[in-house]
Amino acid sequence: MNELIYFFNYVVVAGSVTGCIYAMGAIGVTLIYSILRFAHFAHADMMTLGAFVVLLLTLAFPHAGDALGLPTAIVMLPLAMIFTSLVAVGIDRVFYQPLRAHGVKPIVMVIASLGVTLMLQGLIRLFSGTGAESLYVEARKAIFRIELPGVTRPIIITEPQVILFVVTLVAVIGLHLFLTRARLGKAMRAMSDNPDLARASGINTKLIITLTWIIAGSLATLAGTLLSLDVAFKPDLSFFLLLPIFAAAIVGGVGHPYGAIAGGFLVGFAETLAVFNWSVLLRPLRDSLPSWLELPNNLALVGTEYKIVVPFFILIAVLIWRPTGLFKGKVI
Amino acid sequence: MNPSTQQTPSQRPFPRREILLFGGLALVVLAVFASMGPAYATRMMVEAACYAILALGLTIQWGYAGQFNAGIMGFVALGGFSATFFSIPVNHAFWASDLPGRLGWVLLAIVAAVALVLAVSRIDRLGVPRWLRTLITVIVALIAYLVVISWLRSVTGDIESQVEFIGGLGLPVWLGWIVGGVLAGGIGYVIGHICLGLRSDYLVIATLGIAEIIKAFLKNSDWLTRGTATISPLPWPVPDPGEVGFVTARALYFCVTAVLIAVIFFLLHRAYHAPWGRMIRAIRDNEVSAAAMGKSINRRRQEIFVFGCILMGLGGAVLTSFTGIFDPQGYLPLNHTFLVLVMVILGGPGNNLGTLFGAVLVYVIWIMSGPLALALMHLVTALGGDWFGWQPGNLDSRALQARVFVIGLLILLVLRFAPRGMIPERVAQHD
């Protein structure tokens, strides 16, 4: 049983955590793609920016969360979401909109978003330095240990992980209700299906674009902050997020929010399973194995240093066999 | 980004803009020679020349064909590794032991495993249902992978503990440069084969990913590259500074790169004005009508992507040999991907002369901006300390981050205000 608990702690929990983060990032990427028709490479840096704003706010008011019994970073989330959304809308107005008005090819927009990536990275590192910092400024991370009868090893889950699961659930359900029930949400889907028709039928496309950036910015802040809360804030967070997020969006089918969620979890679990050392699970069987079959100590598919390879190969596999993604999205 | 709409007169006008811009650039370079001394300036010029090769690689991908490669760093690192592996001295301790034999057996086992998996993936021709074939193939591939990888881990572990790393081949360095180009072209072929039929965004993602993977591989394969321990010094194809002094040695190296650039430039010029070049431009500007004219779009795209990657591998090899140290961690997306991008879009995508101009100009600015950024940073912190009590540490690394910001801003400004670069592409009209 101990081995199963180990598996649960290191695969099910860890995989869900990465899955939630990737899913929220991929929803943003996929929404921006379906409204604006380009792959927004600065998205991972918007996540970093959101987390960085939360870090600054937490440093400024370290005890703001005590009254509510939540980590201060969570209390500061709404403010940071507003700020990041404003920055996202501002970036769109200053940099993307003129290019759109010129009618450039989508690939030029992609290059522009790479430029934005560099600007955001430069700014964040200029102010934060390059080291890692914990979002728990003057508090400690609560760790829950759930003891099961008959097992020595407890199930371990931390406070930020619980918050992450709750927030992801709320965000996904909220987004679903928004897209299917609200007038603006329906307008957004209409614009994603056919922008010209949407414009002709009187939908305010400018408003929809602004709204898209607000949603994407808020989700990016949520994902970035919760990830930093779980581990630590690193200015180079975006490097490790960019490829998995795009892999998730493409696996799920580009322009398909529900597909993005599925893709996020798929990529998250694939990463975790690939670096998991399977020989741990086989250890109880060791005594009953025939003598010629010796178990190696390391049965992980790839070493942790090659984690980045996993989303890449998922991406390649999907591009070869099913370029539309699992949920029949658009082909970029 | 639609150069063909520009009306150029049929006879070539006097190239006033080119002469003015290159004259100004020459003055800037002379100023660097005067202020920083010839040793520094020749080093800068050699590096700028290496970057010019990279930029020519990108200009044929992005400028000629509209494919954007965001993984130049990976091809540079691959070329650098090849130059290193071919040129550094042989590690006799490795070849004297039984390790080469064991490594050879593992490599054979890898080939055998690949052959086995390929064979198993064909058993549907013997009447096995397709779903069962897929299942069997996946299981066989997984087992073969795990077996081979555990053998490889044990051999490489022994190599690292007994002889540190496998060493080089001790061959002339230019052989490594050529192989570097070939390796990069091979990777480019695979990537292009998968992505070029789809919209170009996929190519950006895939190249970005492959670059990080190549870097991760080179960084973590200590048995092959010594990883973070780095390899130095790398031999030069010309007498090195110890024999003839810094300035002469670097000037000789510059001659080598200049010859390389001249050859590449001539070949590209001929290709661009040949029917092949017109076909490439036709595909870029109007894919549908090019396809209607019976042009094989994907094959042409594949060609141009592979050519670009070969140039990047070659440029990376030349650059790494010159730097004299192979450090996988030293390959950064900023220095080796985005800097090249700025060179190309600022100079003029699709115009070889413009690309050369952009490469030298941007590299001079980049090199000189280091001290400038540091001075600016000191000023800002002095003011910030006085006004807000802001006292950040390690100024040097922060000053580097300011350059990241500037490069990003530069990309956006060029795209917005000069989308065709300083020396725009000039399409000859044949009336």
Side-chain angles (χ1 to χ4, degrees), chain B residues 63 291 322 343:
Chain B
F322 178 71
M343 290 169 178

Side-chain angles (χ1 to χ4, degrees), chain A residues 66-302:
Chain A
D66 296 351
L68 291 170
L70 284 170
T72 311
I74 299 295
V75 180
M76 292 303 171
L77 258 179
L79 279 178
M81 281 160 76
I82 294 172
F83 180 81
T84 315
S85 307
L86 286 180
V87 170
V89 173
I91 287 174
D92 179 63
R93 285 288 145 78
V94 178
F95 296 119
Y96 298 143
Q97 198 161 15
L99 289 178
R100 269 204 304 279
H102 276 267
V104 296
K105 286 183 189 163
I107 185 72
V108 177
M109 300 290 288
V110 170
I111 296 182
S113 77
L114 286 171
V116 171
T117 301
L118 292 182
M119 283 177 63
L120 286 179
Q121 256 177 33
L123 274 185
I124 292 171
R125 290 189 206 175
L126 187 63
F127 288 108
S128 77
T130 40
E133 280 182 63
S134 172
L135 279 190
Y136 280 89
V137 177
E138 285 186 14
R140 301 196 62 186
K141 204 182 282 189
I143 297 173
F144 309 118
R145 290 167 203 278
I146 305 166
E147 304 275 354
L148 293 183
V151 195
T152 48
R153 198 187 274 274
I155 291 178
I156 300 174
I157 192 160
T158 62
E159 186 187 14
Q161 291 170 345
V162 177
I163 298 174
L164 171 68
F165 296 143
V166 174
V167 168
T168 311
L169 206 64
V170 171
V172 166
I173 293 176
L175 188 72
H176 172 76
L177 290 180
F178 173 75
L179 285 178
T180 48
R181 306 287 163 83
R183 200 178 157 77
L184 272 176
K186 286 181 187 167
M188 216 165 139
R189 285 193 297 153
M191 191 169 162
S192 135
D193 283 345
N194 189 337
D196 294 330
L197 190 59
R199 196 175 295 119
S201 54
I203 288 173
N204 184 350
T205 47
K206 268 199 166 164
L207 180 68
I208 301 290
I209 290 174
T210 311
L211 192 70
T212 311
W213 285 110
I214 291 175
I215 295 177
S218 310
L219 282 176
T221 312
L222 279 181
T225 309
L226 290 167
L227 179 64
S228 323
L229 204 58
D230 188 29
V231 272
F233 172 77
K234 287 187 213 117
D236 54 355
L237 212 57
S238 64
F239 258 134
F240 306 100
L241 289 172
L242 193 58
L243 200 59
I245 286 176
F246 272 91
I250 290 171
V251 168
V254 178
H256 204 300
Y258 309 116
I261 299 167
F265 277 92
L266 191 110
V267 173
F269 270 100
E271 264 188 11
T272 322
L273 288 174
V275 297
F276 181 70
N277 187 358
W278 291 94
S279 64
V280 175
L281 279 190
L282 297 177
R283 227 165 259 163
L285 307 175
R286 186 162 39 188
D287 299 332
S288 49
L289 283 178
S291 54
W292 52 267
L293 188 63
E294 195 188 343
L295 269 186
N297 275 326
N298 188 357
L299 264 183
L301 285 183
V302 294

